[in-house]
Amino acid sequence: MRKTFVHILWGGLFTIIGLLVVAFVAVWNGWVGYMPDMYELQHPIEKYASFVYSADGKQLGTWSKDNRVYVEYNNLSPHLVHALVATEDERFYEHSGIDFIALARAVVKRGILGQTSAGGGSTITQQLAKQLYSEKAHSTVERLMQKPIEWIIAVKLEKNFTKEEIIAMYLNHFDFLHNAVGIKSAAETYFGKEPKHLTLDESAMLIGMCKNPSMYNPVKFRQRSIERRNVVLSQMVKSKYISQAECDEASSKSLESMKFKPIDRNQGFAFYFRDYVRDYMMAKKPVKSDYPSWNQRQYVLDSANWAEDPLYGWCNKHFKKNGDPYSVYNDGLRVYTTIDTRMQKYAEEAVYDDLSRRLQPAFRNDLAHKPYAPFTAKLSKAQIKTIMNSAVRRSHRYKVMKKAGASVEEIRKAFYTPVKMTVFTYNGEKEMTMSPIDSIKYYKSFLRASLVSIDPKTGHVLAYVGGQDYEHFQYDMAFVGRRQVGSTIKPYLYALAMENGSTPCTTILNQARSYNGFRPRGSKSMLGANVTLKWGLTTSNNNVSAYLIDQAGPAAFVDMLRKFGIYNPDIIPDYSLCLGSCDITVGEMCGAYTAFVNHGQRAAPIFVTKIEDSKGNTLATFSPRMYEVISAESSYKMLELLKSVVDRGTGRSLKGIAGIHGDVGGKTGTTNRNSDCWFMGVTPQLVTGCWVGGEERDIHFDSMAFGQGAKAALPIVGKFLRKVYSDSSLDYSASVKFDVPKDFDSCEKKDDVVNGDEIDEIYY
């Protein structure tokens, strides 16, 4: 009987051991619960935020969903490391992931004796394992097995990483609240400094939060945070990292050194550009069914970008070793862009200063005479009601209330009830009391503007301004928003004429006539006379443009626009195209105009030159993409025409504003009712485009005093160029000539007489 009992005991013991071994093997191999694969264990956290750099070596900003930026171990303050080890895992350097002594103590004191202050048995490595992988547990079995899983993951982490790397990972991953994820963000948020510069008391305060960041939040619970900090300091004395005197000195300090400033997710430089490139790189392969019926145009445009531009959707075209696509949020990429911070600064200043000091005050005076401001007086109440209802439905407030089940009457009441809000002004943000419906009108009363400048030889985008203020006007009017381009489209039409054998001195009869029902209106200057094509573009004459599109055919003109890189599928063969009735972005226009400067070769806009991984390995490089549009001879003729526009025509004020003594050409553009004001400028080294207008096409100047390209957009380009050419650190000269053969004869007539007034471009 006794032998049988002993055998049973031994059998039970071996069974238990066997079951434990089986369970261990099952957990180790991921048969039970979640167990990361080898790649994931060797790369438990990527280098988090991607850094965006300018062409002149400056950091433009970062891309990160939670503000986590990786910092290496050697950039941590020793106080941080000592405080963490002393407080969370005093035998950290002695175990291999599991501290059996601490575990046994926790079982006896906490589990058996019920001493809640006895401390836990989790090591720093176990805590890291929990932070990294606890969210992977979804089923009840996985949650029951959570502790054993954490132990095994901790052992595997210790096997793959040094102690220093584990500490760095722990601190980089921990969430310190207030968008301060990771020690780098935490040091910046709470103390305004780098982690390596944190003092003893500052380090102890942050490590104290690791026990429970909400409970020991120094912003909400200052005294509680100080008490916890002092506990950490006492532990550091116990572990012999600091002396009692150092502890006493640090413990006596208040939190005066804390400079709490939550990180602004929009901090950095070139906001519109960074957002555009981020979305551009993260784009997925276009699938037609993913696009609503009203936005099939975007499907066509995205499909063209996916096929032709290696940067578009780069993250989803390239994969890491584990088969996952890259992410700008988690993979710590280093993205080197074409932006020059000096030129970007000048572009932003030109847009902001001209709007705030010149155009907006003039527009404010204009609004005072409009009964339905900010809308043009030519709109009816019914039309305004339609526009405003559409704006309300697009607002965040409406979407939230609608989702919550609010009735139409409740929503209407909310939109007409005055509330306190902080609004944008050119003198800084201001707190005002107004109803949400009035705030919509308030923001619509601001003119908008965008500017893009490109190197015509490479296509490098050097300056990119999508609006005057990113925080309050986030819609990008540089490469996203499309507006009617007016007469800035005419150079493409004239280029088609040059390709078909015309020259600047080709003469035609300037007459007003109808073409298949299309009859342009404009200036009566030189009406009935034979005029040259040079005169036609210089004065932006609509009769000449109508004649040219009739000669070539609207379909041929659409084909030419495609060659210039304007892929908008909404553009259909129509006579009104000769006056710019189609919608195009400023960026597309700049890319197209490079063909005039670059011997007929169009340089597609380039945003990024190189992408590296977090270790500095090059993942991709991007070279200029050139497309032949017109012959070199035609490009020389077009330069002569564009120069004439600036020398004697609608763009004649540019040279004085920009301070340019060398060659410069351009084209102004003004659309129906002054809704859109454009200027495209070309120099031997830069192609720069600018658009000015309202958020809605029915918000604009009603007179030509400011409501034309020559008065609204041209001065902004001129001010930008003056700043660029005045900067000796930039390799640009205001005296450079276009690269045209000296013996080239463009048939120029020296006795041309032109009327340089801007034409009111009204078309049917």
Side-chain angles (χ1 to χ4, degrees):
M1 184 70 179
R2 183 177 179 183
K3 284 185 177 182
T4 301
F5 181 71
V6 171
H7 288 160
I8 291 174
L9 287 177
W10 279 107
L13 179 61
F14 283 121
T15 299
I16 293 172
I17 293 174
L19 289 173
L20 289 174
V21 170
V22 170
F24 179 83
V25 172
V27 172
W28 183 277
N29 291 289
W31 301 339
V32 177
Y34 172 80
M35 180 59 60
D37 58 25
M38 183 56 66
Y39 179 88
E40 195 171 355
L41 278 169
Q42 291 175 344
H43 304 81
I45 54 176
E46 301 293 352
K47 299 301 184 182
Y48 302 125
S50 292
F51 289 83
V52 189
Y53 297 101
S54 68
D56 53 326
K58 304 293 178 61
Q59 183 179 317
L60 295 177
T62 60
W63 290 322
S64 174
K65 285 188 175 179
D66 53 16
N67 288 327
R68 184 189 283 125
V69 179
Y70 191 85
V71 59
E72 300 287 352
Y73 177 85
N74 55 11
N75 286 322
L76 297 172
S77 166
H79 297 310
L80 277 171
V81 177
H82 297 159
L84 179 64
V85 173
T87 308
E88 298 295 328
D89 188 357
E90 60 184 349
R91 275 182 291 278
F92 175 69
Y93 295 104
E94 300 168 17
H95 62 68
S96 296
I98 304 173
D99 186 349
F100 291 102
I101 296 176
L103 184 61
R105 180 189 61 203
V107 170
V108 173
K109 290 189 175 182
R110 292 175 65 90
I112 299 175
L113 301 179
Q115 298 178 8
T116 57
S117 62
S122 291
T123 64
I124 290 174
T125 318
Q126 286 174 244
Q127 293 179 44
L128 175 62
K130 183 177 182 179
Q131 289 180 28
L132 293 174
Y133 303 112
S134 61
E135 70 276 7
K136 306 287 186 177
H138 302 297
S139 68
T140 303
V141 173
E142 289 180 357
R143 282 190 286 270
L144 290 173
M145 298 296 292
Q146 194 63 51
K147 272 298 178 185
I149 290 173
E150 288 174 12
W151 294 340
I152 293 175
I153 292 176
V155 172
K156 289 188 174 184
L157 287 173
E158 291 272 353
K159 184 179 179 181
N160 283 281
F161 296 96
T162 65
K163 293 289 186 178
E164 290 75 16
E165 289 172 329
I166 289 171
I167 286 178
M169 284 190 286
Y170 180 94
L171 291 174
N172 277 301
H173 198 274
F174 195 84
D175 187 344
F176 291 88
L177 304 182
H178 303 291
N179 291 328
V181 182
I183 191 62
K184 184 175 177 66
S185 296
E188 182 180 344
T189 296
Y190 292 102
F191 298 104
K193 58 177 63 174
E194 291 292 316
K196 63 182 177 182
H197 296 139
L198 290 169
T199 61
L200 175 58
D201 59 300
E202 293 167 349
S203 298
M205 191 211 81
L206 290 177
I207 296 302
M209 294 178 70
C210 293
K211 182 178 179 66
N212 187 325
S214 297
M215 179 177 290
Y216 300 109
N217 182 345
V219 177
K220 291 186 176 181
F221 309 110
R222 295 178 73 87
Q223 187 56 40
R224 190 185 296 171
S225 176
I226 290 174
E227 292 171 358
R228 177 60 187 168
R229 178 202 66 185
N230 294 346
V231 170
V232 173
L233 291 169
S234 297
Q235 287 296 115
M236 294 178 73
V237 173
K238 182 180 176 182
S239 298
K240 297 184 171 52
Y241 284 121
I242 60 174
S243 66
Q244 186 61 51
E246 290 174 310
C247 174
D248 293 341
E249 181 183 358
S251 298
S252 65
K253 293 183 178 180
S254 64
L255 292 184
E256 290 181 0
S257 65
M258 193 172 80
K259 301 175 181 178
F260 178 69
K261 184 180 180 182
I263 294 175
D264 181 3
R265 292 184 184 271
N266 296 326
Q267 67 180 345
F269 203 57
F271 303 119
Y272 294 98
F273 174 79
R274 283 161 42 200
D275 264 16
Y276 182 78
V277 174
R278 177 199 63 202
D279 294 343
Y280 205 76
M281 289 178 60
M282 291 287 286
K284 296 181 179 180
K285 185 176 181 179
V287 177
K288 191 171 184 178
S289 59
D290 293 340
Y291 293 77
S293 58
W294 56 267
N295 202 22
Q296 288 300 299
R297 171 184 67 180
Q298 195 60 47
Y299 166 71
V300 175
L301 295 170
D302 291 347
S303 297
N305 283 329
W306 182 272
E308 295 184 13
D309 191 346
L311 182 67
Y312 185 82
W314 184 89
C315 289
N316 288 300
K317 292 176 180 175
H318 298 81
F319 303 90
K320 297 178 287 187
K321 290 181 179 179
N322 67 346
D324 291 338
Y326 281 98
S327 169
V328 298
Y329 298 118
N330 304 317
D331 294 334
L333 301 175
R334 303 293 185 264
V335 180
Y336 297 88
T337 73
T338 57
I339 289 291
D340 186 291
T341 57
R342 296 160 293 183
M343 297 178 70
Q344 179 68 23
K345 177 175 179 288
Y346 298 147
E348 291 180 1
E349 289 175 348
V351 169
Y352 190 91
D353 291 349
D354 202 75
L355 282 176
S356 62
R357 298 178 183 180
R358 188 177 68 91
L359 291 175
Q360 192 63 39
F363 190 54
R364 193 177 299 116
N365 292 334
D366 197 51
L367 293 178
H369 306 290
K370 296 180 179 180
Y372 306 125
F375 302 99
T376 175
K378 297 177 182 179
L379 285 186
S380 67
K381 284 187 176 181
Q383 289 172 315
I384 293 174
K385 181 179 179 180
T386 299
I387 294 173
M388 289 300 296
N389 280 332
S390 176
V392 167
R393 287 191 294 269
R394 293 196 305 267
S395 69
H396 177 71
R397 184 186 298 269
Y398 175 86
K399 291 176 181 178
V400 170
M401 293 188 71
K402 193 71 175 177
K403 188 176 181 179
S407 67
V408 173
E409 189 56 41
E410 288 172 329
I411 295 175
R412 182 182 292 114
K413 182 179 179 181
F415 270 85
Y416 279 89
T417 301
V419 294
K420 283 188 176 181
M421 60 180 71
T422 301
V423 299
F424 168 83
T425 76
Y426 279 112
N427 295 315
E429 289 187 338
K430 183 179 179 181
E431 188 173 278
M432 299 177 66
T433 298
M434 65 173 71
S435 68
I437 202 75
D438 284 336
S439 73
I440 291 176
K441 290 183 180 179
Y442 175 79
Y443 278 104
K444 285 184 180 296
S445 70
F446 285 92
L447 289 174
R448 312 295 173 87
S450 60
L451 183 148
V452 174
S453 192
I454 293 180
D455 183 335
K457 303 297 183 183
T458 62
H460 287 185
V461 177
L462 304 169
Y464 183 122
V465 182
Q468 65 265 47
D469 184 271
Y470 176 79
E471 184 175 350
H472 297 92
F473 306 97
Q474 291 196 2
Y475 190 70
D476 180 355
M477 290 302 299
F479 269 86
V480 178
R482 288 181 163 78
R483 295 296 283 262
Q484 287 185 342
V485 294
S487 288
T488 55
I489 204 172
K490 291 178 180 177
Y492 310 137
L493 181 60
Y494 278 71
L496 179 58
M498 299 301 113
E499 285 288 276
N500 289 337
S502 296
T503 69
C505 62
T506 296
T507 60
I508 65 169
L509 179 64
N510 177 18
Q511 61 179 334
R513 52 171 290 202
S514 176
Y515 300 89
N516 290 341
F518 170 74
R519 185 182 182 88
R521 293 192 300 176
S523 171
K524 295 182 180 180
S525 174
M526 301 290 284
L527 192 63
N530 286 320
V531 297
T532 63
L533 294 188
K534 183 175 181 180
W535 179 92
L537 189 65
T538 302
T539 61
S540 198
N541 184 273
N542 291 343
N543 292 333
V544 175
S545 297
Y547 171 82
L548 291 178
I549 197 171
D550 182 62
Q551 290 294 301
F557 185 39
V558 171
D559 290 340
M560 177 58 76
L561 292 176
R562 300 281 185 265
K563 293 179 70 176
F564 271 102
I566 297 168
Y567 300 120
N568 186 348
D570 291 347
I571 298 177
I572 58 175
D574 186 87
Y575 275 87
S576 67
L577 283 177
C578 71
L579 302 184
S581 60
C582 56
D583 293 347
I584 307 175
T585 69
V586 176
E588 286 173 320
M589 291 291 286
C590 286
Y593 267 62
T594 61
F596 301 133
V597 185
N598 203 31
H599 307 285
Q601 299 281 321
R602 173 175 64 88
I606 297 288
F607 309 104
V608 172
T609 56
K610 183 173 65 172
I611 299 175
E612 294 179 346
D613 65 15
S614 59
K615 296 180 180 178
N617 299 311
T618 299
L619 299 176
T621 57
F622 302 89
S623 302
R625 292 180 292 121
M626 314 301 293
Y627 301 89
E628 184 175 354
V629 180
I630 55 178
S631 67
E633 184 179 66
S634 292
S635 74
Y636 303 150
K637 295 175 184 178
M638 288 306 304
L639 286 176
E640 189 63 42
L641 293 174
L642 292 170
K643 284 168 59 180
S644 182
V645 173
V646 171
D647 289 339
R648 290 175 271 183
T650 57
R652 64 189 181 278
S653 63
L654 178 65
K655 280 194 171 183
I657 298 174
I660 295 176
H661 311 294
D663 284 349
V664 58
K667 186 68 192 79
T668 55
T670 309
T671 64
N672 201 26
R673 293 184 177 179
N674 313 327
S675 293
D676 301 287
C677 302
W678 287 79
F679 182 73
M680 298 298 303
V682 296
T683 72
Q685 298 166 302
L686 295 172
V687 171
T688 306
C690 178
W691 165 86
V692 176
E695 179 183 313
E696 309 281 348
R697 297 182 194 272
D698 292 304
I699 298 174
H700 52 71
F701 286 104
D702 282 340
S703 74
M704 295 292 285
F706 287 94
Q708 58 172 298
K711 299 296 185 181
L714 182 151
I716 296 176
V717 173
K719 292 172 183 178
F720 165 70
L721 293 177
R722 176 177 286 276
K723 289 173 180 285
V724 169
Y725 286 121
S726 298
D727 188 338
S728 59
S729 69
L730 291 167
D731 190 22
Y732 296 106
S733 171
S735 303
V736 175
K737 303 290 184 179
F738 287 120
D739 185 18
V740 177
K742 292 182 179 179
D743 59 348
F744 181 75
D745 182 8
S746 65
C747 298
E748 178 185 11
K749 288 188 176 182
K750 302 297 184 181
D751 59 347
D752 277 350
V753 178
V754 301
N755 178 357
D757 293 334
E758 171 79 4
I759 303 302
D760 187 357
E761 298 155 4
I762 301 176
Y763 49 85
Y764 296 111

